[in-house]
Amino acid sequence: MKTKTILLALTLCVSAPVLAQFGDGPPAVVVSEAAIEPFPLAVEALGNASANEAVSIRPVISAILTGIHFMEGQYVEAGTMLAELENVEPLAEVAGAKAAFVETETQYQRLAELYKTQAVSQSQLQELEAQLEANRASVAAAKARLAHTVVEAPFAGRLGLRRVSVGSLVGPDTVITTLDDTSVIKLDFDVPEVFLARLDPGLEVTARSAAYPDDAFTGVVSSVDSRVDPVSRTVTVRALIDNQDARLRAGMFLTVTLLKQDIQSLVIPEQAIVPDQSKQFVWLVGEGDIAELREVRTGRRRPGQVEILAGLSAGDRVITEGTQKARAGEPVEVLGRAP
């Protein structure tokens, strides 16, 4: 009899939440509310620098190189003469084409006067007119071939090393030098696709190089690639960095930090996430404290919190402790709220 009395007393001392844990009531859980909070974007990536414009200077035609008019590393403006090729034959072609054109033009003018007096037929005049236009085209073609004997800078920039010498036979496959416009550096880097919705032109980036460990280079995102790599699940982002001081060079390897401070995101505690294969779920506590298993789409994470992109709204209560005891459509007892 004394033993029964002790057991009864112990039973009365057990609180209702503890009884709930032993199956005599709704399971006890701790919840937290989904809330909109500042969630700055900070993505680190590795990027490759390239010139704003870059080209290998090559001649259009094959000929002997007769003159070089630049210094290695020199800054040149667009249209600056860089090299000359042998032009004896092209000059002769221009002279011959001009002579044929002048002769035909003289004949045409004489025939046009005779046509006014009906001394020649219209077909004869038209035939000579066609020949005149053909000779005019020949002059233009000869001048174009002559122009190809002069190699000019297509845009303003800095020249690289000289690869040939005067007297060399050069052609379209021969690189005379390189030309790079590095006043602005293009920086390409890959970002996981989960950040795609946050990537917009104008977003600020900060880059650092091992060559200048104490300096940071700032720029802005100019464009985002239209395709996501199906293997790495990343998208290529291009940023532009001002480089008027010419410290950055094409081909450099930079560490990039992409920043966006003014982002507000819906976040919940990380322990509320219930993964199931490739999907993510949370236990939602609705009206009447009824539990509901809901699929969510997660985004970025930070210690203790995860961003929710879809599936929840601000103010929704999610279970953070006791998820293993919740059952869909059944009530739970909310013991408290997680901070």
Side-chain angles (χ1 to χ4, degrees):
M1 186 67 179
K2 183 177 180 181
T3 303
K4 291 183 179 180
T5 303
I6 294 174
L7 289 175
L8 179 60
L10 289 174
T11 302
L12 292 175
C13 291
V14 176
S15 64
V18 174
L19 288 174
Q21 295 180 8
F22 285 94
D24 293 336
V29 298
V30 176
V31 300
S32 179
E33 288 188 358
I36 301 292
E37 296 183 8
F39 207 122
L41 176 68
V43 184
E44 289 193 355
L46 300 176
N48 292 310
S50 60
N52 186 42
E53 301 290 347
V55 67
S56 295
I57 302 298
R58 307 169 188 263
V60 177
I61 61 175
S62 296
I64 299 297
L65 186 65
T66 58
I68 295 176
H69 302 282
F70 67 88
M71 300 291 292
E72 295 177 335
Q74 177 185 351
Y75 181 86
V76 296
E77 297 292 343
T80 301
M81 179 190 295
L82 302 179
E84 286 184 283
L85 307 179
E86 188 177 45
N87 60 5
V88 175
E89 186 175 343
L91 281 173
E93 290 180 358
V94 171
K98 283 184 176 179
F101 173 75
V102 170
E103 181 181 358
T104 306
E105 186 177 35
T106 302
Q107 293 177 2
Y108 176 77
Q109 291 174 352
R110 186 183 309 115
L111 209 62
E113 292 298 326
L114 293 175
Y115 175 72
K116 294 178 181 178
T117 61
Q118 303 297 318
V120 295
S121 65
Q122 184 179 6
S123 62
Q124 290 177 300
L125 183 64
Q126 290 177 340
E127 182 179 350
L128 193 58
E129 183 179 10
Q131 183 61 44
L132 179 64
E133 292 303 319
N135 289 346
R136 191 193 307 275
S138 296
V139 172
K143 287 182 176 180
R145 287 191 289 272
L146 178 62
H148 289 160
T149 63
V150 177
V151 181
E152 298 179 344
F155 53 82
R158 193 166 300 279
L159 296 169
L161 301 178
R162 177 165 61 90
R163 310 291 178 85
V164 293
S165 300
V166 173
S168 302
L169 176 62
V170 297
D173 295 331
T174 306
V175 176
I176 296 176
T177 187
T178 56
L179 177 63
D180 295 299
D181 172 16
T182 57
S183 59
V184 173
I185 286 292
K186 293 177 181 175
L187 185 61
D188 293 345
F189 54 95
D190 294 332
V191 172
E193 66 173 326
V194 68
F195 299 110
L196 188 58
R198 306 294 190 186
L199 299 176
D200 299 306
L203 199 60
E204 181 182 339
V205 301
T206 302
R208 293 184 179 274
S209 168
Y212 308 102
D214 298 327
D215 297 330
F217 303 90
T218 59
V220 294
V221 171
S222 62
S223 58
V224 180
D225 199 357
S226 60
R227 298 182 179 182
V228 173
D229 189 311
V231 177
S232 63
R233 312 310 305 176
T234 59
V235 62
T236 301
V237 179
R238 172 167 292 175
L240 300 181
I241 298 178
D242 184 76
N243 190 42
Q244 296 295 335
D245 54 7
R247 288 195 295 170
L248 297 179
R249 303 287 182 92
M252 290 182 70
F253 192 63
L254 301 174
T255 302
V256 189
T257 303
L258 187 146
L259 301 171
K260 190 172 185 180
Q261 301 291 346
D262 58 341
I263 294 180
Q264 300 286 325
S265 297
L266 182 67
V267 297
I268 62 172
E270 197 170 22
Q271 64 264 33
I273 298 295
V274 180
D276 184 7
Q277 296 182 356
S278 61
K279 297 182 179 181
Q280 307 290 329
F281 296 87
V282 297
W283 280 103
L284 182 68
V285 178
E287 294 184 6
D289 290 344
I290 301 300
E292 173 192 347
L293 186 63
R294 181 176 294 181
E295 183 180 357
V296 295
R297 184 159 59 91
T298 59
R300 295 172 291 146
R301 294 174 183 257
R302 63 186 178 189
Q305 289 184 314
V306 59
E307 180 185 31
I308 301 299
L309 302 179
L312 292 178
S313 300
D316 286 345
R317 296 182 300 169
V318 296
I319 298 176
T320 57
E321 296 182 29
T323 56
Q324 72 279 4
K325 295 178 290 185
R327 297 294 181 268
E330 296 184 5
V332 294
E333 180 179 356
V334 178
L335 291 182
R337 297 189 178 186

